[in-house]
Amino acid sequence: MRQRIPVPDVLLQVDSTNRHLAQKAGAGLPSDVSCFAEQQTAGRGRRGREWVSPFGNNIYMSIYRKLNIDITAIGGLSLGVGIACVEALSGLGVTGIGLKWPNDILFDERKLAGILIEVTGEQGGAASIVVGIGVNTRMDPVEAKAIDQPWCDLAEIGTNQELSRNLLAARLLEGAVRVLDRFEQYGFSPMRDHWNRYDIYLGKRIVLLQGVKSISGIHRGVNEQGALLLECEGSVVPFHGGELSLRQTVENRRGG
Ligand code: BTN
């Protein structure tokens, strides 16, 4: 199996590492390129949100890769990258973290890291994909006022060892590249059990939101494509990522 780790560009400031690589891909950049930035002035989150990206402490990174995959399977790739992030963090002594479908890395139900996968083009069966990862390592408390959801950073969580941001960046890159390789060969299904092991809402009552619509049920894990399996009214229905977002129910928050 190939494991080509692209030597990353390290930028001081960029609007968005995802956009930066997508633009280069559009201009004919060869596949397998990665970049890190110290600051993003227009960091992008899922569902049109901003990713607050102040200078100098957090990790903002992207990888551009041409993949021979069916583009409709892309949801599973995002889950796979989430697993790689949890494993990179755990490998460096970060404990108590887990995944929230489809692609949030949480601690204490607050967001520590997020993943944004964007498809920049398709040609002859190959999809041009940019995988973006943002990790709050030490969030500036003033800038953090702009974050519109519960969040945390690694500085708050702490580890039993000194955590090197460079080492974490290297492990994230290595892990994400490994997932891209595996996903291209085998798809999401061999990663499914790993996902279910880290999913903090597995077996719990949840609500799925899509715009103003909501549906509640019991979270029964994910299927071979990475779709969330929701048990509602006696049957188990798969839901694919897209614009969906998951919320815990009030009973869960009370510890039910
Ligand atoms: C989310 O959870 O909403 C996804 C957040 C993804 C943020 C990262 S930071 C590096 C890369 N560049 C971006 O503009 N976004 C992603």
Side-chain angles (χ1 to χ4, degrees), residues 170-207:
R171 295 274 177 91
L172 288 167
L173 180 59
E174 198 177 72
V177 168
R178 198 177 314 119
V179 164
L180 286 164
D181 287 344
R182 287 198 188 142
F183 189 83
E184 189 168 34
Q185 255 191 306
Y186 309 112
F188 175 71
S189 72
M191 306 177 205
R192 180 185 176 191
D193 289 347
H194 289 250
W195 174 276
N196 286 335
R197 191 179 314 149
Y198 300 128
D199 189 325
I200 59 174
Y201 294 113
L202 185 68
K204 298 202 165 153
R205 177 161 288 278
I206 57 160
V207 180

mmCIF file of all heavy atoms in Angstrom, residues 170-207:
data_model
loop_
_atom_site.group_PDB
_atom_site.id
_atom_site.type_symbol
_atom_site.label_atom_id
_atom_site.label_comp_id
_atom_site.label_asym_id
_atom_site.label_seq_id
_atom_site.Cartn_x
_atom_site.Cartn_y
_atom_site.Cartn_z
ATOM 1 N N ALA A 170 2.225 16.575 12.328
ATOM 2 C CA ALA A 170 2.805 15.491 11.514
ATOM 3 C C ALA A 170 1.942 14.238 11.609
ATOM 4 O O ALA A 170 1.662 13.573 10.594
ATOM 5 C CB ALA A 170 4.229 15.196 11.970
ATOM 6 N N ARG A 171 1.485 13.916 12.822
ATOM 7 C CA ARG A 171 0.666 12.704 13.004
ATOM 8 C C ARG A 171 -0.685 12.837 12.287
ATOM 9 O O ARG A 171 -1.220 11.875 11.752
ATOM 10 C CB ARG A 171 0.427 12.444 14.485
ATOM 11 C CG ARG A 171 1.691 12.119 15.259
ATOM 12 C CD ARG A 171 1.999 10.609 15.175
ATOM 13 N NE ARG A 171 3.229 10.290 15.849
ATOM 14 C CZ ARG A 171 3.334 9.942 17.137
ATOM 15 N NH1 ARG A 171 2.246 9.849 17.878
ATOM 16 N NH2 ARG A 171 4.491 9.671 17.672
ATOM 17 N N LEU A 172 -1.246 14.038 12.308
ATOM 18 C CA LEU A 172 -2.535 14.258 11.627
ATOM 19 C C LEU A 172 -2.367 14.069 10.117
ATOM 20 O O LEU A 172 -3.201 13.438 9.458
ATOM 21 C CB LEU A 172 -3.065 15.666 11.921
ATOM 22 C CG LEU A 172 -3.580 15.917 13.341
ATOM 23 C CD1 LEU A 172 -3.771 17.420 13.581
ATOM 24 C CD2 LEU A 172 -4.898 15.181 13.594
ATOM 25 N N LEU A 173 -1.282 14.624 9.604
ATOM 26 C CA LEU A 173 -1.024 14.512 8.167
ATOM 27 C C LEU A 173 -0.829 13.041 7.777
ATOM 28 O O LEU A 173 -1.459 12.549 6.826
ATOM 29 C CB LEU A 173 0.220 15.348 7.814
ATOM 30 C CG LEU A 173 0.659 15.372 6.351
ATOM 31 C CD1 LEU A 173 -0.460 15.903 5.459
ATOM 32 C CD2 LEU A 173 1.910 16.234 6.180
ATOM 33 N N GLU A 174 -0.012 12.362 8.551
ATOM 34 C CA GLU A 174 0.267 10.946 8.299
ATOM 35 C C GLU A 174 -1.035 10.123 8.357
ATOM 36 O O GLU A 174 -1.318 9.309 7.487
ATOM 37 C CB GLU A 174 1.202 10.492 9.413
ATOM 38 C CG GLU A 174 1.985 9.237 9.220
ATOM 39 C CD GLU A 174 2.891 9.063 10.447
ATOM 40 O OE1 GLU A 174 2.373 8.746 11.538
ATOM 41 O OE2 GLU A 174 4.091 9.261 10.301
ATOM 42 N N GLY A 175 -1.840 10.379 9.390
ATOM 43 C CA GLY A 175 -3.083 9.621 9.575
ATOM 44 C C GLY A 175 -4.070 9.892 8.455
ATOM 45 O O GLY A 175 -4.713 8.968 7.938
ATOM 46 N N ALA A 176 -4.184 11.157 8.056
ATOM 47 C CA ALA A 176 -5.145 11.503 6.995
ATOM 48 C C ALA A 176 -4.718 10.883 5.671
ATOM 49 O O ALA A 176 -5.556 10.366 4.916
ATOM 50 C CB ALA A 176 -5.263 13.020 6.881
ATOM 51 N N VAL A 177 -3.415 10.893 5.392
ATOM 52 C CA VAL A 177 -2.930 10.292 4.140
ATOM 53 C C VAL A 177 -3.195 8.780 4.142
ATOM 54 O O VAL A 177 -3.623 8.202 3.138
ATOM 55 C CB VAL A 177 -1.423 10.604 3.935
ATOM 56 C CG1 VAL A 177 -0.828 9.751 2.821
ATOM 57 C CG2 VAL A 177 -1.242 12.086 3.624
ATOM 58 N N ARG A 178 -2.996 8.157 5.294
ATOM 59 C CA ARG A 178 -3.255 6.716 5.391
ATOM 60 C C ARG A 178 -4.733 6.423 5.102
ATOM 61 O O ARG A 178 -5.070 5.477 4.389
ATOM 62 C CB ARG A 178 -2.855 6.210 6.781
ATOM 63 C CG ARG A 178 -2.672 4.708 6.816
ATOM 64 C CD ARG A 178 -2.211 4.173 8.168
ATOM 65 N NE ARG A 178 -1.127 4.921 8.751
ATOM 66 C CZ ARG A 178 -1.195 5.556 9.930
ATOM 67 N NH1 ARG A 178 -2.296 5.533 10.648
ATOM 68 N NH2 ARG A 178 -0.156 6.218 10.397
ATOM 69 N N VAL A 179 -5.602 7.255 5.646
ATOM 70 C CA VAL A 179 -7.038 7.055 5.403
ATOM 71 C C VAL A 179 -7.368 7.253 3.921
ATOM 72 O O VAL A 179 -8.146 6.481 3.343
ATOM 73 C CB VAL A 179 -7.871 8.014 6.284
ATOM 74 C CG1 VAL A 179 -9.302 8.114 5.787
ATOM 75 C CG2 VAL A 179 -7.865 7.535 7.720
ATOM 76 N N LEU A 180 -6.777 8.259 3.302
ATOM 77 C CA LEU A 180 -7.036 8.487 1.869
ATOM 78 C C LEU A 180 -6.618 7.257 1.056
ATOM 79 O O LEU A 180 -7.341 6.807 0.163
ATOM 80 C CB LEU A 180 -6.284 9.726 1.387
ATOM 81 C CG LEU A 180 -6.881 11.067 1.844
ATOM 82 C CD1 LEU A 180 -5.877 12.201 1.673
ATOM 83 C CD2 LEU A 180 -8.154 11.389 1.078
ATOM 84 N N ASP A 181 -5.454 6.704 1.395
ATOM 85 C CA ASP A 181 -4.974 5.501 0.692
ATOM 86 C C ASP A 181 -5.942 4.338 0.867
ATOM 87 O O ASP A 181 -6.338 3.679 -0.091
ATOM 88 C CB ASP A 181 -3.603 5.066 1.252
ATOM 89 C CG ASP A 181 -2.479 6.006 0.823
ATOM 90 O OD1 ASP A 181 -2.680 6.790 -0.112
ATOM 91 O OD2 ASP A 181 -1.414 5.947 1.461
ATOM 92 N N ARG A 182 -6.329 4.105 2.127
ATOM 93 C CA ARG A 182 -7.202 2.949 2.416
ATOM 94 C C ARG A 182 -8.572 3.136 1.806
ATOM 95 O O ARG A 182 -9.179 2.203 1.305
ATOM 96 C CB ARG A 182 -7.368 2.765 3.923
ATOM 97 C CG ARG A 182 -6.121 2.221 4.537
ATOM 98 C CD ARG A 182 -6.431 1.643 5.910
ATOM 99 N NE ARG A 182 -5.174 1.303 6.551
ATOM 100 C CZ ARG A 182 -4.916 1.454 7.833
ATOM 101 N NH1 ARG A 182 -5.833 1.927 8.642
ATOM 102 N NH2 ARG A 182 -3.753 1.133 8.330
ATOM 103 N N PHE A 183 -9.059 4.366 1.912
ATOM 104 C CA PHE A 183 -10.398 4.633 1.406
ATOM 105 C C PHE A 183 -10.456 4.391 -0.106
ATOM 106 O O PHE A 183 -11.419 3.822 -0.614
ATOM 107 C CB PHE A 183 -10.798 6.072 1.734
ATOM 108 C CG PHE A 183 -12.232 6.368 1.438
ATOM 109 C CD1 PHE A 183 -13.215 6.033 2.354
ATOM 110 C CD2 PHE A 183 -12.610 6.953 0.244
ATOM 111 C CE1 PHE A 183 -14.551 6.275 2.084
ATOM 112 C CE2 PHE A 183 -13.935 7.204 -0.032
ATOM 113 C CZ PHE A 183 -14.907 6.867 0.883
ATOM 114 N N GLU A 184 -9.420 4.815 -0.804
ATOM 115 C CA GLU A 184 -9.405 4.635 -2.256
ATOM 116 C C GLU A 184 -9.430 3.142 -2.611
ATOM 117 O O GLU A 184 -10.079 2.723 -3.557
ATOM 118 C CB GLU A 184 -8.149 5.289 -2.843
ATOM 119 C CG GLU A 184 -8.172 5.338 -4.364
ATOM 120 C CD GLU A 184 -7.079 6.235 -4.906
ATOM 121 O OE1 GLU A 184 -5.993 6.301 -4.298
ATOM 122 O OE2 GLU A 184 -7.322 6.866 -5.949
ATOM 123 N N GLN A 185 -8.770 2.334 -1.797
ATOM 124 C CA GLN A 185 -8.724 0.889 -2.077
ATOM 125 C C GLN A 185 -9.954 0.129 -1.599
ATOM 126 O O GLN A 185 -10.490 -0.715 -2.288
ATOM 127 C CB GLN A 185 -7.499 0.289 -1.395
ATOM 128 C CG GLN A 185 -6.382 -0.031 -2.370
ATOM 129 C CD GLN A 185 -5.320 -0.857 -1.698
ATOM 130 O OE1 GLN A 185 -4.800 -0.453 -0.658
ATOM 131 N NE2 GLN A 185 -5.007 -2.004 -2.263
ATOM 132 N N TYR A 186 -10.378 0.418 -0.379
ATOM 133 C CA TYR A 186 -11.399 -0.440 0.252
ATOM 134 C C TYR A 186 -12.700 0.273 0.613
ATOM 135 O O TYR A 186 -13.634 -0.376 1.091
ATOM 136 C CB TYR A 186 -10.843 -1.057 1.550
ATOM 137 C CG TYR A 186 -9.518 -1.739 1.386
ATOM 138 C CD1 TYR A 186 -8.371 -1.210 1.979
ATOM 139 C CD2 TYR A 186 -9.398 -2.911 0.636
ATOM 140 C CE1 TYR A 186 -7.139 -1.836 1.831
ATOM 141 C CE2 TYR A 186 -8.165 -3.539 0.484
ATOM 142 C CZ TYR A 186 -7.043 -2.993 1.084
ATOM 143 O OH TYR A 186 -5.830 -3.605 0.941
ATOM 144 N N GLY A 187 -12.747 1.602 0.472
ATOM 145 C CA GLY A 187 -13.947 2.327 0.888
ATOM 146 C C GLY A 187 -14.021 2.448 2.409
ATOM 147 O O GLY A 187 -13.055 2.176 3.130
ATOM 148 N N PHE A 188 -15.181 2.803 2.907
ATOM 149 C CA PHE A 188 -15.332 3.073 4.348
ATOM 150 C C PHE A 188 -15.530 1.805 5.176
ATOM 151 O O PHE A 188 -15.173 1.770 6.360
ATOM 152 C CB PHE A 188 -16.522 4.020 4.575
ATOM 153 C CG PHE A 188 -16.820 4.257 6.027
ATOM 154 C CD1 PHE A 188 -15.962 5.010 6.818
ATOM 155 C CD2 PHE A 188 -17.945 3.696 6.617
ATOM 156 C CE1 PHE A 188 -16.212 5.211 8.168
ATOM 157 C CE2 PHE A 188 -18.215 3.894 7.967
ATOM 158 C CZ PHE A 188 -17.347 4.661 8.745
ATOM 159 N N SER A 189 -16.070 0.751 4.554
ATOM 160 C CA SER A 189 -16.562 -0.370 5.381
ATOM 161 C C SER A 189 -15.544 -0.953 6.369
ATOM 162 O O SER A 189 -15.923 -1.241 7.502
ATOM 163 C CB SER A 189 -17.247 -1.431 4.535
ATOM 164 O OG SER A 189 -16.354 -2.125 3.799
ATOM 165 N N PRO A 190 -14.223 -1.094 6.038
ATOM 166 C CA PRO A 190 -13.313 -1.632 7.068
ATOM 167 C C PRO A 190 -13.105 -0.677 8.251
ATOM 168 O O PRO A 190 -12.564 -1.085 9.279
ATOM 169 C CB PRO A 190 -11.984 -1.831 6.321
ATOM 170 C CG PRO A 190 -12.268 -1.654 4.879
ATOM 171 C CD PRO A 190 -13.530 -0.865 4.763
ATOM 172 N N MET A 191 -13.520 0.583 8.100
ATOM 173 C CA MET A 191 -13.311 1.561 9.184
ATOM 174 C C MET A 191 -14.534 1.667 10.093
ATOM 175 O O MET A 191 -14.516 2.362 11.103
ATOM 176 C CB MET A 191 -13.039 2.961 8.604
ATOM 177 C CG MET A 191 -11.907 3.031 7.614
ATOM 178 S SD MET A 191 -11.770 4.715 6.943
ATOM 179 C CE MET A 191 -10.980 4.386 5.378
ATOM 180 N N ARG A 192 -15.594 0.992 9.691
ATOM 181 C CA ARG A 192 -16.882 1.163 10.366
ATOM 182 C C ARG A 192 -16.816 0.834 11.868
ATOM 183 O O ARG A 192 -17.325 1.598 12.699
ATOM 184 C CB ARG A 192 -17.884 0.257 9.668
ATOM 185 C CG ARG A 192 -19.244 0.306 10.235
ATOM 186 C CD ARG A 192 -20.104 -0.711 9.554
ATOM 187 N NE ARG A 192 -21.410 -0.738 10.145
ATOM 188 C CZ ARG A 192 -22.306 -1.665 9.908
ATOM 189 N NH1 ARG A 192 -22.054 -2.633 9.066
ATOM 190 N NH2 ARG A 192 -23.465 -1.621 10.503
ATOM 191 N N ASP A 193 -16.183 -0.268 12.209
ATOM 192 C CA ASP A 193 -16.131 -0.652 13.625
ATOM 193 C C ASP A 193 -15.362 0.370 14.450
ATOM 194 O O ASP A 193 -15.693 0.633 15.603
ATOM 195 C CB ASP A 193 -15.478 -2.028 13.789
ATOM 196 C CG ASP A 193 -16.392 -3.124 13.276
ATOM 197 O OD1 ASP A 193 -17.581 -2.827 13.036
ATOM 198 O OD2 ASP A 193 -15.917 -4.257 13.092
ATOM 199 N N HIS A 194 -14.299 0.945 13.843
ATOM 200 C CA HIS A 194 -13.529 1.980 14.553
ATOM 201 C C HIS A 194 -14.426 3.169 14.848
ATOM 202 O O HIS A 194 -14.407 3.727 15.934
ATOM 203 C CB HIS A 194 -12.350 2.465 13.703
ATOM 204 C CG HIS A 194 -11.261 1.465 13.579
ATOM 205 N ND1 HIS A 194 -10.043 1.632 14.181
ATOM 206 C CD2 HIS A 194 -11.215 0.287 12.933
ATOM 207 C CE1 HIS A 194 -9.291 0.590 13.909
ATOM 208 N NE2 HIS A 194 -9.979 -0.235 13.149
ATOM 209 N N TRP A 195 -15.211 3.545 13.834
ATOM 210 C CA TRP A 195 -16.101 4.692 14.052
ATOM 211 C C TRP A 195 -17.031 4.415 15.225
ATOM 212 O O TRP A 195 -17.175 5.231 16.139
ATOM 213 C CB TRP A 195 -16.927 5.019 12.794
ATOM 214 C CG TRP A 195 -17.912 6.097 13.134
ATOM 215 C CD1 TRP A 195 -19.140 5.931 13.700
ATOM 216 C CD2 TRP A 195 -17.700 7.505 13.060
ATOM 217 N NE1 TRP A 195 -19.716 7.155 13.959
ATOM 218 C CE2 TRP A 195 -18.858 8.127 13.583
ATOM 219 C CE3 TRP A 195 -16.655 8.303 12.589
ATOM 220 C CZ2 TRP A 195 -18.994 9.518 13.647
ATOM 221 C CZ3 TRP A 195 -16.790 9.688 12.661
ATOM 222 C CH2 TRP A 195 -17.948 10.273 13.182
ATOM 223 N N ASN A 196 -17.663 3.263 15.189
ATOM 224 C CA ASN A 196 -18.656 2.963 16.229
ATOM 225 C C ASN A 196 -18.022 2.920 17.624
ATOM 226 O O ASN A 196 -18.661 3.235 18.613
ATOM 227 C CB ASN A 196 -19.393 1.658 15.896
ATOM 228 C CG ASN A 196 -20.390 1.862 14.749
ATOM 229 O OD1 ASN A 196 -20.862 2.982 14.523
ATOM 230 N ND2 ASN A 196 -20.700 0.812 14.023
ATOM 231 N N ARG A 197 -16.716 2.577 17.674
ATOM 232 C CA ARG A 197 -16.014 2.546 18.966
ATOM 233 C C ARG A 197 -15.858 3.960 19.543
ATOM 234 O O ARG A 197 -15.922 4.176 20.740
ATOM 235 C CB ARG A 197 -14.631 1.931 18.748
ATOM 236 C CG ARG A 197 -13.898 1.600 20.027
ATOM 237 C CD ARG A 197 -12.532 0.977 19.754
ATOM 238 N NE ARG A 197 -12.548 -0.067 18.747
ATOM 239 C CZ ARG A 197 -11.516 -0.331 17.927
ATOM 240 N NH1 ARG A 197 -10.404 0.351 18.000
ATOM 241 N NH2 ARG A 197 -11.607 -1.307 17.041
ATOM 242 N N TYR A 198 -15.661 4.953 18.680
ATOM 243 C CA TYR A 198 -15.391 6.312 19.162
ATOM 244 C C TYR A 198 -16.629 7.200 19.220
ATOM 245 O O TYR A 198 -16.565 8.326 19.718
ATOM 246 C CB TYR A 198 -14.360 7.003 18.257
ATOM 247 C CG TYR A 198 -13.023 6.308 18.188
ATOM 248 C CD1 TYR A 198 -12.447 5.988 16.961
ATOM 249 C CD2 TYR A 198 -12.317 5.979 19.342
ATOM 250 C CE1 TYR A 198 -11.210 5.361 16.882
ATOM 251 C CE2 TYR A 198 -11.080 5.349 19.269
ATOM 252 C CZ TYR A 198 -10.536 5.040 18.042
ATOM 253 O OH TYR A 198 -9.317 4.424 17.973
ATOM 254 N N ASP A 199 -17.752 6.732 18.662
ATOM 255 C CA ASP A 199 -18.952 7.577 18.543
ATOM 256 C C ASP A 199 -19.592 7.775 19.926
ATOM 257 O O ASP A 199 -20.063 6.823 20.545
ATOM 258 C CB ASP A 199 -19.945 6.895 17.589
ATOM 259 C CG ASP A 199 -21.111 7.801 17.240
ATOM 260 O OD1 ASP A 199 -21.554 8.582 18.101
ATOM 261 O OD2 ASP A 199 -21.577 7.713 16.094
ATOM 262 N N ILE A 200 -19.628 9.037 20.389
ATOM 263 C CA ILE A 200 -20.080 9.261 21.765
ATOM 264 C C ILE A 200 -21.607 9.179 21.916
ATOM 265 O O ILE A 200 -22.110 9.115 23.034
ATOM 266 C CB ILE A 200 -19.569 10.607 22.344
ATOM 267 C CG1 ILE A 200 -20.030 11.783 21.505
ATOM 268 C CG2 ILE A 200 -18.066 10.616 22.482
ATOM 269 C CD1 ILE A 200 -19.662 13.124 22.135
ATOM 270 N N TYR A 201 -22.343 9.195 20.815
ATOM 271 C CA TYR A 201 -23.809 9.147 20.931
ATOM 272 C C TYR A 201 -24.402 7.788 20.558
ATOM 273 O O TYR A 201 -25.622 7.640 20.525
ATOM 274 C CB TYR A 201 -24.450 10.244 20.062
ATOM 275 C CG TYR A 201 -24.112 11.620 20.573
ATOM 276 C CD1 TYR A 201 -23.311 12.474 19.835
ATOM 277 C CD2 TYR A 201 -24.570 12.053 21.809
ATOM 278 C CE1 TYR A 201 -22.992 13.730 20.319
ATOM 279 C CE2 TYR A 201 -24.246 13.299 22.304
ATOM 280 C CZ TYR A 201 -23.459 14.136 21.563
ATOM 281 O OH TYR A 201 -23.132 15.368 22.042
ATOM 282 N N LEU A 202 -23.546 6.829 20.274
ATOM 283 C CA LEU A 202 -24.026 5.495 19.875
ATOM 284 C C LEU A 202 -24.990 4.942 20.924
ATOM 285 O O LEU A 202 -24.690 4.940 22.124
ATOM 286 C CB LEU A 202 -22.823 4.555 19.717
ATOM 287 C CG LEU A 202 -23.131 3.161 19.203
ATOM 288 C CD1 LEU A 202 -23.586 3.223 17.737
ATOM 289 C CD2 LEU A 202 -21.886 2.278 19.296
ATOM 290 N N GLY A 203 -26.147 4.492 20.479
ATOM 291 C CA GLY A 203 -27.138 3.897 21.382
ATOM 292 C C GLY A 203 -27.982 4.924 22.116
ATOM 293 O O GLY A 203 -28.866 4.545 22.891
ATOM 294 N N LYS A 204 -27.727 6.217 21.880
ATOM 295 C CA LYS A 204 -28.477 7.253 22.605
ATOM 296 C C LYS A 204 -29.599 7.830 21.739
ATOM 297 O O LYS A 204 -29.563 7.742 20.515
ATOM 298 C CB LYS A 204 -27.534 8.382 23.010
ATOM 299 C CG LYS A 204 -26.454 7.898 23.957
ATOM 300 C CD LYS A 204 -25.898 9.028 24.749
ATOM 301 C CE LYS A 204 -25.109 8.432 25.906
ATOM 302 N NZ LYS A 204 -24.057 9.271 26.380
ATOM 303 N N ARG A 205 -30.535 8.451 22.419
ATOM 304 C CA ARG A 205 -31.610 9.139 21.690
ATOM 305 C C ARG A 205 -31.062 10.469 21.192
ATOM 306 O O ARG A 205 -30.469 11.232 21.962
ATOM 307 C CB ARG A 205 -32.826 9.362 22.599
ATOM 308 C CG ARG A 205 -33.950 10.121 21.930
ATOM 309 C CD ARG A 205 -35.272 9.933 22.631
ATOM 310 N NE ARG A 205 -35.844 8.599 22.442
ATOM 311 C CZ ARG A 205 -36.530 8.232 21.362
ATOM 312 N NH1 ARG A 205 -36.734 9.065 20.367
ATOM 313 N NH2 ARG A 205 -37.027 7.010 21.281
ATOM 314 N N ILE A 206 -31.232 10.715 19.899
ATOM 315 C CA ILE A 206 -30.692 11.942 19.292
ATOM 316 C C ILE A 206 -31.755 12.586 18.393
ATOM 317 O O ILE A 206 -32.788 11.972 18.097
ATOM 318 C CB ILE A 206 -29.443 11.646 18.427
ATOM 319 C CG1 ILE A 206 -29.768 10.608 17.337
ATOM 320 C CG2 ILE A 206 -28.270 11.192 19.279
ATOM 321 C CD1 ILE A 206 -28.808 10.613 16.180
ATOM 322 N N VAL A 207 -31.422 13.794 17.945
ATOM 323 C CA VAL A 207 -32.270 14.474 16.965
ATOM 324 C C VAL A 207 -31.396 14.822 15.767
ATOM 325 O O VAL A 207 -30.280 15.323 15.945
ATOM 326 C CB VAL A 207 -32.867 15.775 17.551
ATOM 327 C CG1 VAL A 207 -33.738 16.484 16.524
ATOM 328 C CG2 VAL A 207 -33.680 15.471 18.800
#
